[in-house]
Amino acid sequence: SNRQSVPRTTFGNLLLLYIKHQYFGQAADVMAENTHLTFKMDPYLYEYLDAIIVQQSSPEEAFRRFDDIANRHTDNLRKITKLVQECRQNNDEDAVKKAVNEYDEALEKYIPVLMAQAKIYWDKNNYNMVEKIFRKSVEFCNEHDAWKLNVAHVLFMQQENKYKEAIGFYEPIVKKHYDNILSVSAIVLANLCVSYIMTSQNEEAEELMRKIEKEEEQMGYEDPDRKVYHLCIVNLVIGTLYCAKGNFEFGITRVIKSMEPYAKKLGMDTWHYAKRCFLGLIENLAKHMIMVRDVVLQDCIQFLEHAELYGKQVPCRIQPPLSTTAAHEGKNTVTYEARLLKALLIQVSDM
């Protein structure tokens, strides 16, 4: 193809898409094969992509590179902050506007680098270190929604004494969109409800869930065919919490209830949460670590039979975009997995 015909932004966007879908090898190959385009890239973007590719073989080296890029970004942000203050002192409105825009643009370049750094430790479940990285960036990012959201997540993951702090970050995000609560990601609402429950603020959790229920009902009138999973996912996450704490009877019952009616609530995302609880139940039964009453086990079997019935057209996972081998049509369904779980459950519970 004509080498001149690829716009520079297309090249950068293609590489970012490769990285997003974790095709790191392809990204590295495309950069190596098109050096004439690689040299013309925004230097910040080049360094960022390069560090992410290095991360696959050496997370420590990648962290050092991200740190290097981040330090340059923060120096620049401090410089622009000073400029904004000077323009304000000189009452130069146009210059203030220009400097503030420049700051926002610089911040948008810094955030992905910060998140990439944090992800190295997030993937290792080292949430304490992630929190430290975020605390270092507080002076620049404390107004940024994506930053606030990720701080909330990392506090939530540390559990125990961090739920109250997590509420402090989740709540403003939810309140900001309270009149259109279904525009907030379901997992954010779920984590906030769990944080309320874990800090004995059950009324707040119930009020938030009533609000979600009301909006879902309203949407049901306006668009009857649309599937909405928000309340279902909130209940699934609460059920998962009880299962994780060892209270399987209460947790699994909550999971089962949250999936009714199946025709509306059974989807790829909701099944993902539900099956994890069933796998936990099966594992604990197999290890003889828990006792579950027969009536609850029968409810579980019945639930899995319903999932089998309604899950024929529901896939369990999305096919990766560049995958050459198609997922087995019969196996990539909720029906197949529900049958498998049912067989395992019968096997371990001697039913």
Side-chain angles (χ1 to χ4, degrees), residues 160-351:
E160 304 323 319
N161 52 355
K162 297 279 172 98
Y163 284 118
K164 249 195 169 60
E165 274 187 85
I167 291 170
F169 283 95
Y170 280 132
E171 244 178 8
I173 295 166
V174 172
K175 292 234 156 68
K176 189 174 166 184
H177 302 281
Y178 204 70
D179 294 335
N180 181 17
I181 207 132
L182 299 182
S183 68
V184 179
S185 148
I187 198 66
V188 171
L189 298 171
N191 287 359
L192 179 55
C193 281
V194 165
S195 302
Y196 282 144
I197 291 167
M198 295 307 288
T199 51
S200 309
Q201 301 179 65
N202 291 40
E203 291 81 23
E204 275 87 347
E206 279 161 22
E207 191 188 323
L208 181 56
M209 287 163 81
R210 277 195 297 273
K211 170 77 177 157
I212 299 166
E213 190 170 19
K214 229 164 105 180
E215 278 208 20
E216 284 195 0
E217 279 174 7
Q218 187 58 40
M219 191 169 274
Y221 296 131
E222 290 163 14
D223 189 355
D225 295 328
R226 188 169 165 194
K227 286 188 175 186
V228 192
Y229 299 124
H230 278 62
L231 189 64
C232 179
I233 287 175
V234 171
N235 275 311
L236 284 166
V237 171
I238 293 170
T240 305
L241 169 80
Y242 283 100
C243 290
K245 299 263 177 226
N247 188 346
F248 277 95
E249 287 203 355
F250 186 82
I252 284 281
T253 304
R254 182 131 198 178
V255 165
I256 291 171
K257 278 206 174 73
S258 69
M259 296 290 270
E260 293 163 2
Y262 296 92
K264 278 199 181 298
K265 300 298 176 193
L266 186 61
M268 186 165 62
D269 290 346
T270 56
W271 177 247
H272 170 76
Y273 288 104
K275 73 179 172 190
R276 286 167 65 193
C277 294
F278 278 91
L279 285 165
L281 173 72
I282 291 164
E283 185 184 358
N284 279 279
L285 283 169
K287 290 176 177 173
H288 302 290
M289 288 168 75
I290 52 168
M291 295 283 289
V292 177
R293 288 173 302 145
D294 282 356
V295 59
V296 177
L297 290 171
Q298 264 142 10
D299 285 347
C300 290
I301 297 288
Q302 195 184 12
F303 166 78
L304 291 168
E305 284 172 351
H306 279 129
E308 190 182 328
L309 188 67
Y310 287 94
K312 290 186 179 74
Q313 303 300 320
V314 183
C316 304
R317 66 197 70 84
I318 294 173
Q319 185 82 354
L322 298 183
S323 179
T324 47
T325 53
H328 189 292
E329 233 176 283
K331 286 183 179 177
N332 188 22
T333 62
V334 167
T335 296
Y336 174 80
E337 289 193 351
R339 269 185 204 148
L340 203 56
L341 288 173
K342 184 177 133 187
L344 286 169
L345 187 57
I346 289 169
Q347 197 183 333
V348 297
S349 59
D350 307 320
M351 286 182 79

Side-chain angles (χ1 to χ4, degrees), residues 152-166:
H153 287 331
V154 81
L155 291 167
F156 180 83
M157 290 306 286
Q158 290 176 78
Q159 303 175 355
E160 304 323 319
N161 52 355
K162 297 279 172 98
Y163 284 118
K164 249 195 169 60
E165 274 187 85

